[in-house]
Amino acid sequence: MIKFKDMSFKIKTILGVAFIESILLAIIYFTSINSLNETNENQIKSRSNETSSLIALWVRNGLLTYDVGNTEHFIDSLVQSDGLVYVHIKNDEGKTFAFAGDKKYLTTSVEQDYTLEQANRDGVFDTVKPVMVDDIEIGQVELGLSVEKLSTFIDDVSHRIKVIAIVEVFLSALFSFFLGWVLTRRLGQLKEVAIKVKNTGNLVKIGDHANDEIGMVSQAFDQMSASLIKTQIKLKSNSMKLEEIFNNTKDGMIVFSLDGTILTVNPAFMNLVNCYKSVEGATYESFVEMIRKEIDFDDYESVKWLRLIDTFKGIEDVSNDNWKIRFAKPNTRLLNVSQKIINDTETQIHSIFFFTDLTKTEEVERLKSEFLAHAAHELRTPLSSVQGFSELLIAPTVSDDMRVELATIINTQSQRVVALVGDLLDVSKIETEGAQNFDFQQVLVVDIVDKVIRAFAIPEGRETISVKYSNDLGTVNVDFNRIYQVLLNLVSNAYKYSSIGGVNVFVEHFETEVENNTGVEIRVVDSGIGMTEEQVSHVFDKFWRADMSGEIPGTGLGMSIVKDIIELHSGTIEVNSELGRGTEVVVKFYR
């Protein structure tokens, strides 16, 4: 059975209006019938009373004189002409004196009727009236008025009212149906649009501009829908931004729910702990186990932190504190770990762990310290020489020839200091500015190589530079002066670290088969002292030199600067060397 609350609005409207209309019509019907009955009952009472009084007055003399003939003639004329069913005149002994009308009432005991309901039992309204003379009853008049026509009239009126009521209910139901259809059709449009907005998330307008209540609701819905869509777009945009930040930040993040399970993690955290399977939904204990596998148990602070967070409740003991923990080999890392307690029942977020990788920062600090130590050492050596030889130079006992020799040494060491300071400034500028101030242009590599050959001073007694170009070299997008600096340094090193012969430079076009890349390759080849594999691995380290004796001049920064410049051009540099056979440096620029 369908419950009323489960019915449609249209059916509820029809039933509601029909029910109210039925109640009202029922009240009208019964009120009308009762009023009609009362009116007719009063009329019939009045008529019967008047008729019986009139007859009693007329038959009084007949009873006194015992004039039966005239009496019967009188009442017979009344029965025939006045709608009376019968008239029965009785004397003071209760015996029949005269009678006219339906004979069955001659022997029937008659009782006074007071209501139409009593009269409707036999269709006759019975009235008994005494005949009085000087307050003495000399007889009585019994008469019956027919109520059949009245009953038929009342029934006919009742039937008409019922028909009218039925038609009224039908018309009301029909109007209710039409009204419900109009209302539900517009409400249905509102419902359909609401579902579309919900399912698609797109702005859909109803377009109902009527001034009635539903129209106003529809217009308010359109405004609300537009506002919600704008808000949704903003929220979605912000959510995407946050998700993008969460997924691409270098800091590892792991979020725990109120029950201790892992809600979400970002790729940075997965990389930090070398985990490549999904851990969302895993327990807090599994997180602790992941950390335990990586932690360096030789580091006191790391072990202390691990002991504090061993249980889920332990997070509160380390919240709002920063801890530096270390991972053991081979995943050696220094991490700064912080925890934030959220305890949000709406998002079910309990806490968030943040892991910042300080490994490179620590390495940079270490290299910075080493760099400063090397720089101080490299500067102290020539400056000490300048100081010592300058003191000898001013001594009065020094000969003129010795003064010239000392001045030459001081000049050489001064040039070394200037070169070292220049290289230090170059390293600092490249590391801080990168390629920001590079002047990139489409340049012919041939022009750069030719300038290097013209500008480089060939050492005395050495062969000139041999250059070989391939066809179709074209241009590359580089900073002319910086690449000139690179090639000049490579050619200078090739001559410094080879005592005989010349230097060969090969400039060729290349094309890779795998990635279909093209570009220009420059190879600088010498037949000098060469290097071991161990030495080659350090060739780009700052202040490292293949000749540690100091006989070959240099700052130890040249190859480091060369590598930085090449990489800022998105190029590559490779060193191939064999001890005692020479060295080949290969530089590639990609188009």
Side-chain angles (χ1 to χ4, degrees):
M1 183 177 179
I2 300 177
K3 296 182 179 180
F4 182 75
K5 66 178 183 178
D6 297 327
M7 295 180 180
S8 66
F9 179 78
K10 179 166 58 179
I11 299 299
K12 289 178 180 178
T13 302
I14 295 173
L15 292 178
V17 172
F19 176 75
I20 294 172
E21 188 71 20
S22 299
I23 295 296
L24 293 176
L25 288 174
I27 293 173
I28 294 172
Y29 169 77
F30 287 109
T31 301
S32 300
I33 294 300
N34 288 336
S35 177
L36 183 62
N37 283 333
E38 289 179 2
T39 301
N40 288 310
E41 185 176 284
N42 291 332
Q43 289 179 353
I44 199 71
K45 284 181 179 181
S46 176
R47 182 184 175 192
S48 63
N49 184 54
E50 291 176 357
T51 303
S52 60
S53 297
L54 178 63
I55 293 175
L57 181 63
W58 275 90
V59 300
R60 182 173 58 180
N61 293 328
L63 285 170
L64 290 174
T65 60
Y66 204 73
D67 187 359
V68 175
N70 288 329
T71 302
E72 287 184 347
H73 176 75
F74 171 69
I75 62 175
D76 186 59
S77 64
L78 288 176
V79 169
Q80 291 180 9
S81 63
D82 207 17
L84 293 174
V85 177
Y86 71 92
V87 176
H88 192 179
I89 308 299
K90 292 183 178 181
N91 59 22
D92 57 352
E93 295 178 354
K95 294 180 180 180
T96 301
F97 177 75
F99 182 86
D102 192 344
K103 298 298 183 180
K104 72 177 181 178
Y105 292 100
L106 179 62
T107 58
T108 302
S109 177
V110 176
E111 294 183 0
Q112 174 71 41
D113 287 336
Y114 297 99
T115 64
L116 280 177
E117 184 178 357
Q118 293 174 336
N120 284 333
R121 287 178 297 194
D122 58 356
V124 176
F125 188 89
D126 298 310
T127 301
V128 178
K129 186 74 173 181
V131 180
M132 306 293 292
V133 175
D134 296 331
D135 296 329
I136 298 173
E137 183 176 344
I138 62 173
Q140 67 179 14
V141 177
E142 295 179 357
L143 61 83
L145 285 172
S146 176
V147 294
E148 288 184 0
K149 291 183 179 180
L150 184 60
S151 297
T152 302
F153 171 74
I154 293 174
D155 290 341
D156 183 61
V157 171
S158 176
H159 175 71
R160 290 174 182 272
I161 292 176
K162 288 179 181 178
V163 171
I164 292 173
I166 292 173
V167 172
E168 179 69 19
V169 171
F170 174 76
L171 292 176
S172 298
L174 185 62
F175 173 75
S176 301
F177 176 82
F178 176 75
L179 178 63
W181 176 79
V182 172
L183 293 176
T184 54
R185 180 177 63 86
R186 296 169 69 188
L187 291 175
Q189 292 175 345
L190 183 61
K191 176 183 176 182
E192 290 177 3
V193 170
I195 293 174
K196 286 182 180 179
V197 172
K198 172 191 171 186
N199 294 336
T200 64
N202 297 324
L203 176 60
V204 182
K205 289 189 175 183
I206 301 174
D208 190 340
H209 302 293
N211 292 324
D212 57 11
E213 288 79 0
I214 296 181
M216 295 173 67
V217 170
S218 299
Q219 293 163 28
F221 178 85
D222 287 345
Q223 295 173 0
M224 180 190 69
S225 176
S227 177
L228 288 176
I229 293 300
K230 289 180 181 178
T231 304
Q232 183 182 14
I233 292 173
K234 289 181 180 179
L235 289 175
K236 188 175 182 180
S237 176
N238 292 336
S239 176
M240 291 177 64
K241 289 177 182 178
L242 290 174
E243 185 177 359
E244 190 72 17
I245 293 172
F246 181 77
N247 290 329
N248 292 289
T249 181
K250 294 181 179 179
D251 292 344
M253 298 173 65
I254 181 166
V255 183
F256 291 98
S257 66
L258 295 175
D259 60 0
T261 56
I262 299 174
L263 281 177
T264 184
V265 296
N266 68 342
F269 174 80
M270 304 296 282
N271 292 332
L272 288 176
V273 297
N274 286 331
C275 182
Y276 302 102
K277 63 179 181 179
S278 176
V279 295
E280 293 182 0
T283 62
Y284 179 79
E285 289 73 18
S286 63
F287 158 72
V288 175
E289 189 60 30
M290 281 190 291
I291 299 297
R292 194 187 305 278
K293 290 180 181 179
E294 302 292 335
I295 207 76
D296 184 356
F297 286 94
D298 292 330
D299 184 70
Y300 172 76
E301 188 170 0
S302 301
V303 175
K304 181 180 178 182
W305 175 79
L306 182 63
R307 186 172 64 252
L308 289 173
I309 67 152
D310 191 53
T311 61
F312 185 59
K313 292 183 178 179
I315 296 178
E316 298 181 0
D317 297 331
V318 295
S319 64
N320 301 322
D321 292 333
N322 289 320
W323 295 76
K324 286 184 172 57
I325 66 170
R326 291 187 180 275
F327 283 177
K329 293 181 180 180
N331 187 27
T332 305
R333 295 180 187 274
L334 173 65
L335 301 175
N336 181 78
V337 184
S338 60
Q339 302 79 219
K340 181 70 175 177
I341 303 296
I342 306 297
N343 272 334
D344 187 1
T345 55
E346 184 174 348
T347 60
Q348 291 295 302
I349 295 177
H350 173 269
S351 54
I352 304 176
F353 274 67
F354 301 91
F355 294 82
T356 304
D357 193 351
L358 301 179
T359 308
K360 289 185 178 180
T361 304
E362 185 182 40
E363 179 67 13
V364 168
E365 290 296 324
R366 184 187 67 80
L367 293 175
K368 179 180 178 182
S369 298
E370 290 182 0
F371 178 79
L372 291 175
H374 279 297
H377 174 73
E378 292 295 330
L379 285 171
R380 183 176 59 186
T381 301
L383 288 175
S384 296
S385 297
V386 170
Q387 182 182 9
F389 288 119
S390 62
E391 290 176 353
L392 290 175
L393 185 62
I394 62 177
T397 58
V398 177
S399 64
D400 292 340
D401 292 338
M402 180 61 71
R403 288 180 188 278
V404 173
E405 183 179 351
L406 292 174
T408 302
I409 294 173
I410 291 172
N411 182 60
T412 301
Q413 295 299 327
S414 299
Q415 291 178 358
R416 183 180 174 187
V417 170
V418 172
L420 181 59
V421 171
D423 284 347
L424 288 173
L425 291 174
D426 215 6
V427 168
S428 176
K429 186 175 182 180
I430 290 174
E431 288 184 348
T432 56
E433 297 180 2
Q436 182 178 351
N437 293 321
F438 283 12
D439 182 17
F440 287 97
Q441 295 181 10
Q442 291 294 328
V443 177
L444 290 169
V445 180
V446 175
D447 292 344
I448 304 176
V449 176
D450 287 344
K451 182 177 180 180
V452 171
I453 294 172
R454 292 193 304 270
F456 184 74
I458 305 297
E460 187 177 352
R462 300 291 299 277
E463 296 179 9
T464 59
I465 303 172
S466 173
V467 182
K468 293 184 179 180
Y469 300 105
S470 69
N471 297 326
D472 302 326
L473 290 175
T475 61
V476 288
N477 189 35
V478 297
D479 184 316
F480 186 99
N481 293 326
R482 284 296 184 178
I483 302 305
Y484 168 78
Q485 178 186 352
V486 167
L487 296 181
L488 191 62
N489 186 286
L490 296 180
V491 171
S492 175
N493 283 346
Y495 273 102
K496 283 192 296 183
Y497 288 94
S498 60
S499 57
I500 59 174
V503 173
N504 296 314
V505 178
F506 302 91
V507 184
E508 300 172 341
H509 170 82
F510 76 89
E511 182 174 348
T512 59
E513 295 181 358
V514 179
E515 298 181 357
N516 197 27
N517 289 327
T518 62
V520 175
E521 176 184 273
I522 303 174
R523 291 186 294 126
V524 179
V525 183
D526 66 62
S527 54
I529 62 175
M531 293 178 289
T532 63
E533 290 185 6
E534 175 66 20
Q535 289 175 318
V536 170
S537 66
H538 294 287
V539 73
F540 296 115
D541 293 348
K542 292 180 177 66
F543 299 107
W544 186 89
R545 285 181 288 180
D547 174 47
M548 304 303 293
S549 65
E551 295 180 358
I552 300 176
T555 63
L557 295 172
M559 290 301 290
S560 174
I561 295 173
V562 165
K563 181 174 182 293
D564 288 341
I565 293 174
I566 295 301
E567 289 181 348
L568 289 173
H569 281 79
S570 299
T572 61
I573 182 168
E574 179 183 354
V575 177
N576 304 309
S577 185
E578 186 177 348
L579 189 63
R581 297 289 300 273
T583 301
E584 176 189 57
V585 180
V586 181
V587 177
K588 289 184 178 180
F589 299 102
Y590 295 87
R591 291 195 177 92

